Amino acid sequence: MADHSCPCGLPETYEACCGRFHSGAAAAPTAERLMRSRYCAFVRLDAGYLLRTWHPRTRPERVDLDPGMRWTGLEILEAVGGSAFHSTGTVTFRASYRGGSLHERSRFERVGGAWVYLDGEFLG
């Protein structure tokens, strides 16, 4: 993977991009970067990261990932708020997979200074 760009769609390698968030070496600085790192965690079947970055109020007991699911791309359509100057943010995205796509508006909040996923609304 070191020679390829990160699955989240940014041109950096996985290690320089989402890998540092997944390992705990760094925290995602914006809601959009957290969204991208969570998409990457779905690609890499990293349920632990998904749970760690889920809001305590809405976090499920566990996440069951389908190893047969093939994610093929992420498109960020809109990001509102979610910067270092905000406590909340939304990211609207389309995540493509073999056979279709998922269109969602996700809400993020800061908890203890770190961005976490609160919930999402599926869009048509």
Side-chain angles (χ1 to χ4, degrees):
M1 269 251 162
D3 301 327
H4 300 94
S5 61
C6 190
C8 81
L10 295 177
E12 302 167 275
T13 63
Y14 167 75
E15 290 77 12
C17 193
C18 293
R20 61 199 175 106
F21 305 141
H22 292 175
S23 71
T30 65
E32 180 183 332
R33 287 301 294 258
L34 180 64
M35 168 58 234
R36 287 179 179 279
S37 71
R38 286 177 57 83
Y39 168 82
C40 188
F42 276 100
V43 171
R44 297 177 62 89
L45 303 175
D46 188 346
Y49 180 76
L50 293 169
L51 289 170
R52 284 193 311 276
T53 58
W54 211 307
H55 197 292
R57 230 177 34 242
T58 57
R59 180 187 306 131
E61 211 168 284
R62 66 176 214 256
V63 176
D64 295 319
L65 299 175
D66 178 358
M69 180 70 115
R70 292 292 171 251
W71 295 98
T72 58
L74 176 66
E75 181 185 3
I76 302 296
L77 304 173
E78 181 182 44
V80 177
S83 78
F85 303 104
H86 300 101
S87 58
T88 63
T90 62
V91 179
T92 305
F93 66 93
R94 182 172 288 110
S96 300
Y97 56 88
R98 193 180 317 141
S101 68
L102 170 75
H103 188 192
E104 181 178 313
R105 181 178 301 115
S106 294
R107 294 190 313 151
F108 297 88
E109 283 186 8
R110 282 188 189 266
V111 173
W115 285 107
V116 292
Y117 170 78
L118 179 63
D119 58 23
E121 170 190 4
F122 293 111
L123 305 171

